[in-house]
Amino acid sequence: ELLPFLANYREAGLAAYLDEWHANDDLLGQAVEVQWGDRSCHGVVQGIDVHGRLLLQDGDGKTLSLALGEVTLAKRRYKSAP
């Protein structure tokens, strides 16, 4: 089902597909851990941005925009800041 949406990606860019992406994003709202190198962070997935970066809300309510890393479901739950 994804291939028809990507047919005109070159002209439209990712922004044209974000609504569809978010509607099918299984990680949206999930508590995750992201690791890259010897660093890691925890938070709740808020989706992706127009550049395809993962948006992660940390425990302080700050939204991080991550371009790389290994994402795994967190072993414990982290709540989004109100």
Side-chain angles (χ1 to χ4, degrees):
E1 290 184 35
L2 185 59
L3 292 178
F5 290 103
L6 297 178
N8 70 347
Y9 175 80
R10 189 171 292 207
E11 290 88 27
L14 184 58
Y17 304 101
L18 284 179
D19 289 340
E20 185 73 22
W21 181 281
H22 289 131
N24 293 288
D25 186 353
D26 288 337
L27 285 180
L28 190 64
Q30 295 289 325
V32 299
E33 177 180 6
V34 181
Q35 294 183 326
W36 64 100
D38 61 349
R39 299 181 65 192
S40 67
C41 62
H42 297 88
V44 177
V45 174
Q46 301 299 308
I48 62 170
D49 66 15
V50 296
H51 303 289
R53 295 178 295 220
L54 180 70
L55 299 175
L56 188 71
Q57 186 177 46
D58 69 13
D60 295 327
K62 180 179 175 185
T63 299
L64 309 171
S65 178
L66 305 171
L68 58 93
E70 181 179 328
V71 179
T72 56
L73 291 175
K75 292 180 182 175
R76 60 181 191 173
R77 292 287 175 194
Y78 293 88
K79 292 186 177 183
S80 297

